[in-house]
Amino acid sequence: MCGIVGYVGERQALPILLEGLKRLEYRGYDSAGFALQGPVDFEIKRNAGPVDGLVEVSKGLGLTEKEGIAHTRWATHGAPNETNAHPHRAGEIVLVHNGIIENYAEIKERLTASGVKFSSQTDTEVFAQLIEAKRSRLAEDSPGANPETTLIAAMKAAMAEVEGHYAIVLMSRQIPGKLYGIQNGAPLVGSTLKDGALIASDLQAVIPHHNEVSFLPKGEIFIADRDGIHCAGLKVEKIDWTADKVEKGGYESFMLKEIFQQPMVVADTLTGRLPSDPKSPFIWDHQKAHEVLWKNVKRLYLVACGTSAHAAMAAKYFFERWARLDCQVDIASEFRYRDPVFEPGTVVGVISQSGETADTLAALRLANERGVSTFSICNVPNSTIARESSFQYPTKAGPEIGVASTKAFTAQLTVLCALALDVGRLRGIQSARDTEQESFLGLARLPQDLDHILSRSEEFIRIGETLGKQRIILFVGRGTMFPIALEGALKFKELTYLPAEGFAAGELKHGPIAYIDPEVTVITLAPKDEWYQKTVSNLEEIRARGGHLITLGTEGDRVLEGLSDSFIGLPSAAWGTAPILSAIPLQLLAYGCARALDRNIDKPRNLAKSVTVE
Ligand code: M6R
């Protein structure tokens, strides 16, 4: 979490820093700040709240400096106020930080005992003070030494003491014209521009300037100056995202834009991968290795967090049915601290939009350390998870900026559906229920079906607008609709801040039915699939207790229409693609309710897009 931007070059730094922060705000928006290297001293400005507040307070300051660092914060240590906002100054240096310093308390105690005064509650200031303490001691010991050599030695010595995953960028009063930093498990992307160098936590802030970037290597100190980025092991890569992909493009929010991009995103994700007929292999990047991997697999763990975990849960149904594969789904934060059984033939697949989620990355590393074959389904090219997994099945959703994930989820489900069909084919399985052929065809026409559902967006948004006064919203589904119900509830709570829970329909009577009264809305997913009759019985039970019913079913289903207060009829869909299509109305219901409540759609409170802390 937290977004870092740094610029040094020929242009005024402040507009570049503020624009970069706006693009990184999805990473956290509790406070924002910048520091510029001025002729007399650093110019530091910090402000509680989102970046717009910082933009406001910096208007008219006439700051024309050409070198600076900036930060947008997702609070971990210390309240989200101005005092704890970055950058943090310590003597000659000023520093911004993303990540967590796990042993900050003991370092702080030691530094305090030696006379260092702290002005914030952050772990960041501890890192800054530690570097500065080491720098000033080294400078005292060798008064004639080059300030850069001393600073780098201090940074290295501090790095050896701090524990945790982090990225820092700093400036020194003694060395104008240069930024210094380290990526140690929290990503930093750098780009050498025509007129200087740009550093940021994520591609979004770099791509509008240049599409040739370097993912800074872990553990290496880098220097940025007017000539570019200097670092051992630096590789330059070309990214095929364009600047327009990180703009709202006329939509009132990124989330709405991303919801409407779903037909295109699914088409992009399938392009070049979908064979011409269901019996032929899907086309993947490493075809031979892919075939070897899946022919020998005995057990599959799918590991992820949040929305990505819901995609994994839906995929379990696909892999079990089409590939007859033992598939276990795990929440990454639990998996990493369990002692999972990795027998020969185990494959671990991690799913992550950002490719940087700390728990998912730790789960991947655990599997890698234990010698298990791993693959990732990530949306951000070259993200840490993508790079550290043995195989990649990338989603092609493009940058997802709304904090609530939408298009990345449908792209994940699309890849998982295609992969499970292909693995079933590779393993020579013909499932008893024979849904492969229709699901293959369903995938091929998925972009058109999504378009059709989106053409009714206003209807879904309007229903969402009516939900703001309900005491709680329950989302219910069976089979592949159960994970979609969980995802519907997650979208709803993230965006509206109202209580929402997802349940397997069969679980209702084991407890949640106690909630039911007229102030409770139950949103049920009941397409005409093999579980339909059972779900209808569950609906009757809710109706009998006076619950308010919104039902998503197959178009023309008179039974559901009669039972429900609102009925959303969706076109009949294949078994494998129905979960993807059903997710769309739920995204729009949540959006409609949140908009009516005047919530911050793209940046719901307390959340961040990229969760790089545990
Ligand atoms: O980037 P990841 O897919 O690994 O992120 C996992 C979760 O943090 C993420 O899905 C989160 O639940 C979103 N806010 C959901 O909208």
Side-chain angles (χ1 to χ4, degrees):
M1 356 269 272
C2 299
I4 291 176
V5 193
Y7 171 79
V8 52
E10 303 297 334
R11 283 177 285 163
Q12 286 184 19
L14 188 55
I16 297 172
L17 297 178
L18 293 176
E19 188 222 327
L21 285 190
K22 284 295 296 170
R23 292 184 190 281
L24 294 183
E25 217 179 359
Y26 67 87
R27 300 178 68 91
Y29 26 86
D30 288 329
S31 65
F34 63 79
L36 301 170
Q37 181 76 266
V40 182
D41 198 0
F42 294 127
E43 295 283 355
I44 300 177
K45 199 94 212 146
R46 305 184 301 175
N47 197 62
V51 176
D52 277 343
L54 182 70
V55 173
E56 238 359 87
V57 297
S58 26
K59 273 187 186 148
L61 293 179
L63 298 170
T64 57
E65 287 75 11
K66 294 177 176 169
E67 176 192 355
I69 56 178
H71 188 268
T72 179
R73 177 171 187 242
W74 187 83
T76 57
H77 300 67
N81 54 27
E82 190 182 323
T83 314
N84 291 322
H86 301 211
H88 288 281
R89 171 117 193 220
E92 294 293 318
I93 67 162
V94 67
L95 175 148
V96 288
H97 161 231
N98 170 29
I100 285 192
I101 307 306
E102 285 165 2
N103 56 342
Y104 85 103
E106 64 186 75
I107 299 175
K108 186 170 186 175
E109 205 178 304
R110 220 173 346 106
L111 290 172
T112 306
S114 70
V116 175
K117 297 262 178 295
F118 287 87
S119 55
S120 77
Q121 288 88 52
T122 62
D123 54 344
T124 305
E125 191 189 359
V126 175
F127 204 164
Q129 294 286 7
L130 181 66
I131 295 174
E132 176 58 8
K134 292 190 178 296
R135 191 205 60 78
S136 60
R137 202 166 318 127
L138 286 168
E140 264 169 46
D141 292 349
S142 319
N146 175 321
E148 180 167 88
T149 312
T150 307
L151 177 65
I152 290 178
M155 288 171 74
K156 283 188 179 154
M159 266 172 83
E161 272 179 43
V162 298
E163 288 163 18
H165 297 291
Y166 55 83
I168 56 166
V169 181
L170 62 86
M171 295 189 294
S172 161
R173 271 309 294 157
Q174 299 178 328
I175 322 169
K178 290 191 177 188
L179 308 180
Y180 298 83
I182 310 159
Q183 183 277 86
N184 190 47
L188 279 178
V189 184
S191 185
T192 297
L193 312 175
K194 280 199 192 97
D195 62 355
L198 187 65
I199 305 283
S201 300
D202 207 342
L203 286 170
Q204 272 90 324
V206 180
I207 290 300
H209 296 269
H210 199 26
N211 68 347
E212 286 181 12
V213 306
S214 300
F215 295 87
L216 297 176
K218 188 175 174 199
E220 298 288 349
I221 291 180
F222 68 85
I223 304 173
D225 61 20
R226 280 169 178 70
D227 298 326
I229 315 261
H230 314 278
C231 183
L234 204 64
K235 281 195 241 111
V236 178
E237 298 172 38
K238 208 169 188 147
I239 303 293
D240 68 355
W241 289 3
T242 49
D244 61 311
K245 291 203 173 159
V246 292
E247 308 289 350
K248 277 190 205 156
Y251 287 92
E252 60 186 37
S253 63
F254 278 109
M255 182 190 176
L256 195 61
K257 175 186 169 189
E258 287 156 7
I259 289 175
F260 276 90
Q261 282 180 320
Q262 291 177 105
M264 180 188 79
V265 156
V266 163
D268 287 351
T269 298
L270 289 172
T271 300
R273 288 171 165 169
L274 202 63
S276 49
D277 70 90
K279 301 263 179 288
S280 304
F282 279 72
I283 300 123
W284 307 103
D285 290 346
H286 309 282
Q287 196 68 23
K288 266 267 142 292
H290 156 83
E291 287 175 11
V292 172
L293 173 80
W294 290 103
K295 275 193 176 141
N296 297 319
V297 62
K298 301 253 172 344
R299 174 187 292 160
L300 170 63
Y301 284 104
L302 290 176
V303 187
C305 300
T307 290
S308 299
H310 297 150
M313 287 175 75
K316 176 182 170 76
Y317 292 83
F318 301 157
F319 279 103
E320 284 179 351
R321 175 171 295 190
W322 293 330
R324 302 302 301 136
L325 187 57
D326 174 14
C327 175
Q328 303 196 17
V329 175
D330 263 277
I331 298 296
S333 52
E334 291 297 319
F335 184 83
R336 64 182 291 189
Y337 294 119
R338 289 210 337 262
D339 193 2
V341 179
F342 297 133
E343 284 165 344
T346 299
V347 169
V348 172
V350 291
I351 307 172
S352 172
Q353 185 285 130
S354 61
E356 302 295 346
T357 301
D359 287 321
T360 311
L361 178 58
L364 171 67
R365 287 180 174 158
L366 170 73
N368 281 339
E369 276 157 23
R370 301 270 287 269
V372 175
S373 299
T374 57
F375 71 88
S376 63
I377 298 179
C378 287
N379 192 44
V380 178
N382 294 299
S383 55
T384 312
I385 291 177
R387 280 183 280 119
E388 293 193 14
S389 50
S390 330
F391 294 90
Q392 292 125 40
Y393 298 93
T395 48
K396 307 278 173 70
E400 188 180 65
I401 293 169
V403 166
S405 184
T406 52
K407 63 175 181 172
F409 178 63
T410 39
Q412 289 166 348
L413 284 174
T414 303
V415 169
L416 286 160
C417 180
L419 190 58
L421 281 170
D422 199 35
V423 172
R425 183 198 57 80
L426 270 170
R427 288 163 60 89
I429 308 289
Q430 173 72 48
S431 76
R433 291 193 190 91
D434 193 14
T435 48
E436 292 91 330
Q437 167 98 1
E438 55 144 33
S439 297
F440 177 86
L441 297 173
L443 268 185
R445 61 159 201 274
L446 193 51
Q448 293 94 287
D449 287 351
L450 286 166
D451 250 336
H452 176 67
I453 290 188
L454 283 167
S455 69
R456 291 167 53 197
S457 59
E458 279 308 318
E459 178 192 335
F460 309 139
I461 291 173
R462 264 199 311 277
I463 297 175
E465 284 167 355
T466 64
L467 297 176
K469 293 217 159 51
Q470 292 303 90
R471 197 158 48 79
I472 184 167
I473 315 282
L474 306 183
F475 291 78
V476 181
R478 266 177 196 267
T480 53
M481 292 298 147
F482 166 42
I484 303 306
L486 293 178
E487 175 58 12
L490 179 65
K491 282 293 84 82
F492 204 85
K493 65 184 103 170
E494 279 186 299
L495 287 173
T496 66
Y497 320 152
L498 297 176
E501 297 297 337
F503 295 105
E507 272 296 293
L508 270 185
K509 59 175 96 45
H510 299 289
I513 203 162
Y515 276 132
I516 306 296
D517 68 27
E519 283 172 33
V520 173
T521 291
V522 183
I523 300 180
T524 307
L525 295 145
K528 280 217 165 133
D529 57 18
E530 62 217 63
W531 304 292
Y532 171 76
Q533 277 308 337
K534 299 191 185 309
T535 312
V536 172
S537 306
N538 301 134
L539 278 172
E540 297 276 13
E541 292 153 13
I542 302 163
R543 183 99 211 133
R545 287 158 181 86
H548 175 246
L549 281 179
I550 298 178
T551 311
L552 277 79
T554 308
E555 258 162 12
D557 187 331
R558 301 279 163 254
V559 175
L560 288 188
E561 225 175 317
L563 262 177
S564 316
D565 296 286
S566 300
F567 173 68
I568 299 177
L570 300 176
S572 159
W575 182 79
T577 52
I580 309 178
L581 292 163
S582 306
I584 313 302
L586 301 189
Q587 295 168 352
L588 288 160
L589 286 180
Y591 173 82
C593 185
R595 197 180 62 177
L597 294 170
D598 204 19
R599 303 293 195 237
N600 188 336
I601 302 286
D602 285 334
K603 288 171 280 187
R605 71 178 181 204
N606 302 338
L607 298 178
K609 184 78 186 155
S610 181
V611 185
T612 54
V613 295
E614 282 194 54

